[in-house]
Amino acid sequence: MSAVLRTRGLGISFGAFRAVDDVNLTLEPGARQALIGPNGAGKTTLINLLTGVFKPTHGTIHMGERELTALSADKRARMGLARTFQINTLFPSLTPLLSVVLAISERDGLGAVWWRPLKRNKAAFDEAHALLGRLKLDALADVPVAELAYGKQRLLEIALAMAARPRILLLDEPAAGVPEDESGELFEAIAELPQDISVLFIEHDMNLVFRFSRRISVLVAGRILTEGSPAEIGRDPRVREVYLGHGAAHV
Ligand SMILES: Nc1ncnc2c1ncn2[C@@H]1O[C@H](COP(=O)(O)OP(=O)(O)O)[C@@H](O)[C@H]1O
Ligand SMILES: [Mg+2]
């Protein structure tokens, strides 16, 4: 199978510090791939390189046959690369339904006419309801975001990313700050996203990583230490060593 996303020798330096170094990462169609590694390993920076927030100092990024390395973040988003952030980026006073409708309108180039009566845009509302249903948020469609449990807010962020109809979804710690009893539900929703979407997620909780990824890439000090199936990573002594003393019982 040909990769939907591929980096070759990707790297970025901040001054003399090489935060991401010679990374060759591939994402297959329909991937559910975890990016793990200690704090400061360069995981978020790697996602920032993939999405175009940072320009690399070394290497290339391809989406299928198309080279992305020099393209803006906007252009990459329009080509089907979507992301969520490590921190909450929602509007607290908006409802989930209106949040998703706005994201759909923006995708369709209607962002500048937001003051028009939105209810007139029935197609966008129907699509928003379907998307919220897929993420099991339909019962909360009209509740202000500020009143939602944090796990539901993170699900809504995924719904907003999905509104762009991405082919690739990059999730930076989607369960960060989510109580443990809600994080399983969050990852179940991620697992059940359409199978033609490739997902790369950063996650610290090894139980979630081993339960929901089919492939794991381990980043240490900016470099890929190793990659493999959860079973392969679970028995890799180098990965154990990296995590020893970090409280990761599963590795
Ligand atoms: N804009 C920046 N300027 C300088 N250093 C940065 C910048 N962004 C990240 N770093 C550094 O790069 C390293 C990797 O950070 P990060 O990608 O956030 O790690 P992770 O997400 O794996 O915890 C850290 O040492 C961080 O301080
Ligand atoms: Mg990070």
mmCIF file of all heavy atoms in Angstrom, residues 39-40 42-45 86 172-173 202 204, ligand 2:
data_model
loop_
_atom_site.group_PDB
_atom_site.id
_atom_site.type_symbol
_atom_site.label_atom_id
_atom_site.label_comp_id
_atom_site.label_asym_id
_atom_site.label_seq_id
_atom_site.Cartn_x
_atom_site.Cartn_y
_atom_site.Cartn_z
ATOM 1 N N ASN A 39 8.279 13.400 27.566
ATOM 2 C CA ASN A 39 8.076 14.840 27.447
ATOM 3 C C ASN A 39 9.289 15.497 26.829
ATOM 4 O O ASN A 39 10.417 15.178 27.191
ATOM 5 C CB ASN A 39 7.857 15.454 28.833
ATOM 6 C CG ASN A 39 6.390 15.492 29.184
ATOM 7 O OD1 ASN A 39 5.535 15.579 28.292
ATOM 8 N ND2 ASN A 39 6.090 15.396 30.455
ATOM 9 N N GLY A 40 9.058 16.393 25.876
ATOM 10 C CA GLY A 40 10.167 17.105 25.249
ATOM 11 C C GLY A 40 10.826 16.325 24.129
ATOM 12 O O GLY A 40 11.818 16.779 23.552
ATOM 13 N N GLY A 42 9.786 15.887 21.167
ATOM 14 C CA GLY A 42 9.610 16.530 19.865
ATOM 15 C C GLY A 42 8.313 16.123 19.163
ATOM 16 O O GLY A 42 8.137 16.415 17.975
ATOM 17 N N LYS A 43 7.395 15.505 19.901
ATOM 18 C CA LYS A 43 6.153 14.998 19.283
ATOM 19 C C LYS A 43 5.303 16.137 18.725
ATOM 20 O O LYS A 43 4.871 16.095 17.573
ATOM 21 C CB LYS A 43 5.357 14.174 20.316
ATOM 22 C CG LYS A 43 6.144 13.019 20.922
ATOM 23 C CD LYS A 43 5.323 12.214 21.924
ATOM 24 C CE LYS A 43 4.887 12.988 23.149
ATOM 25 N NZ LYS A 43 6.006 13.459 24.016
ATOM 26 N N THR A 44 5.046 17.145 19.572
ATOM 27 C CA THR A 44 4.228 18.274 19.117
ATOM 28 C C THR A 44 4.939 19.021 17.992
ATOM 29 O O THR A 44 4.309 19.445 17.007
ATOM 30 C CB THR A 44 3.923 19.229 20.298
ATOM 31 O OG1 THR A 44 3.137 18.513 21.263
ATOM 32 C CG2 THR A 44 3.156 20.459 19.847
ATOM 33 N N THR A 45 6.248 19.157 18.099
ATOM 34 C CA THR A 45 7.013 19.842 17.045
ATOM 35 C C THR A 45 6.894 19.086 15.719
ATOM 36 O O THR A 45 6.747 19.701 14.657
ATOM 37 C CB THR A 45 8.491 19.971 17.468
ATOM 38 O OG1 THR A 45 8.543 20.628 18.739
ATOM 39 C CG2 THR A 45 9.286 20.769 16.452
ATOM 40 N N GLN A 86 -3.094 20.316 21.664
ATOM 41 C CA GLN A 86 -2.919 19.797 23.016
ATOM 42 C C GLN A 86 -3.800 20.578 24.005
ATOM 43 O O GLN A 86 -4.062 20.127 25.098
ATOM 44 C CB GLN A 86 -1.436 19.960 23.380
ATOM 45 C CG GLN A 86 -0.917 19.001 24.429
ATOM 46 C CD GLN A 86 0.624 19.033 24.468
ATOM 47 O OE1 GLN A 86 1.267 19.581 23.582
ATOM 48 N NE2 GLN A 86 1.181 18.442 25.481
ATOM 49 N N ASP A 172 -3.125 15.774 18.815
ATOM 50 C CA ASP A 172 -2.078 15.989 19.818
ATOM 51 C C ASP A 172 -2.684 15.856 21.207
ATOM 52 O O ASP A 172 -3.327 16.769 21.702
ATOM 53 C CB ASP A 172 -1.445 17.369 19.629
ATOM 54 C CG ASP A 172 -0.170 17.522 20.450
ATOM 55 O OD1 ASP A 172 0.131 16.635 21.269
ATOM 56 O OD2 ASP A 172 0.527 18.535 20.258
ATOM 57 N N GLU A 173 -2.468 14.711 21.820
ATOM 58 C CA GLU A 173 -2.990 14.404 23.160
ATOM 59 C C GLU A 173 -4.478 14.728 23.282
ATOM 60 O O GLU A 173 -4.877 15.568 24.087
ATOM 61 C CB GLU A 173 -2.174 15.149 24.221
ATOM 62 C CG GLU A 173 -0.711 14.720 24.197
ATOM 63 C CD GLU A 173 0.059 15.203 25.424
ATOM 64 O OE1 GLU A 173 -0.556 15.331 26.492
ATOM 65 O OE2 GLU A 173 1.265 15.417 25.295
ATOM 66 N N ILE A 202 -0.941 11.489 19.395
ATOM 67 C CA ILE A 202 0.016 11.517 20.497
ATOM 68 C C ILE A 202 -0.760 11.182 21.766
ATOM 69 O O ILE A 202 -1.835 11.740 21.995
ATOM 70 C CB ILE A 202 0.640 12.923 20.640
ATOM 71 C CG1 ILE A 202 1.393 13.299 19.365
ATOM 72 C CG2 ILE A 202 1.567 12.970 21.861
ATOM 73 C CD1 ILE A 202 1.955 14.724 19.380
ATOM 74 N N HIS A 204 -0.126 9.814 26.072
ATOM 75 C CA HIS A 204 0.788 9.401 27.141
ATOM 76 C C HIS A 204 0.341 8.128 27.841
ATOM 77 O O HIS A 204 1.165 7.367 28.342
ATOM 78 C CB HIS A 204 0.902 10.505 28.203
ATOM 79 C CG HIS A 204 1.826 11.598 27.788
ATOM 80 N ND1 HIS A 204 3.156 11.373 27.554
ATOM 81 C CD2 HIS A 204 1.607 12.911 27.541
ATOM 82 C CE1 HIS A 204 3.726 12.515 27.195
ATOM 83 N NE2 HIS A 204 2.801 13.452 27.160
HETATM 84 MG MG MG B 2 3.546 17.849 23.179
#
